[in-house]
Amino acid sequence: MEILIEVWEENGTGKILRLEGEHFTLGRNNCSIPLEDLNCSRIHAEINVLENGDVYLRDLGSTNGTFLNGSRLLEDSQINTGDSIQLGDIVIHVARINGEQSNVQSFKTEDSLTGWPEFLVPAFK
């Protein structure tokens, strides 16, 4: 199982991470996906890959919560290519799960007002 994610910090800098395995922790301390944000808990959330290939996100009792596509995570939720995860001021875009690529153009377009990637800026039409 291969998962490709984009991790965006509040200042607009980002990095691409390739995850290979079945279990990943996200947070500030000793996590497989370290997050440098004081609004994230030490061990904030986890991503688990099930035997059937489904990928799930779980909040681990974080102080500020975990959000999936703008909604607070209240229970384990399946994540898919194109989903957006927010932990504190960190936004993670799920760019690919097992070869299924997101339609988002990674790191190429940004909002002229905020400097953030366009997929993170709400569209008001």
Side-chain angles (χ1 to χ4, degrees), residues 7-50:
V7 180
W8 292 91
E9 297 179 12
E10 183 180 25
N11 64 9
T13 61
K15 58 186 170 187
I16 298 175
L17 299 176
R18 180 183 319 224
L19 309 179
E20 294 180 359
E22 297 174 354
H23 177 79
F24 311 94
T25 54
L26 301 95
R28 292 191 332 244
N29 288 0
N30 298 323
C31 291
S32 49
I33 303 171
L35 305 174
E36 296 182 27
D37 181 355
L38 294 178
N39 292 314
C40 291
S41 296
R42 288 184 186 104
I43 303 176
H44 195 105
E46 66 183 2
I47 295 173
N48 292 298
V49 180
L50 304 183

Side-chain angles (χ1 to χ4, degrees), residues 50-123:
L50 304 183
E51 287 183 21
N52 66 2
D54 289 345
V55 182
Y56 278 82
L57 177 66
R58 171 185 290 167
D59 181 83
L60 296 175
S62 66
T63 302
N64 294 319
T66 301
F67 295 81
L68 178 60
N69 299 322
S71 298
R72 189 177 186 123
L73 204 64
L74 301 175
E75 59 187 19
D76 294 5
S77 293
Q78 186 172 0
I79 58 175
N80 298 291
T81 297
D83 283 349
S84 179
I85 302 165
Q86 183 167 357
L87 306 98
D89 292 324
I90 304 282
V91 176
I92 298 172
H93 173 71
V94 182
R96 183 183 333 156
I97 295 178
N98 256 4
E100 180 186 341
Q101 188 122 0
S102 168
N103 290 331
V104 174
Q105 293 188 1
S106 306
F107 291 95
K108 291 183 181 171
T109 56
E110 61 182 38
D111 179 70
S112 60
L113 181 62
T114 64
W116 282 68
E118 283 186 349
F119 72 86
L120 299 178
V121 179

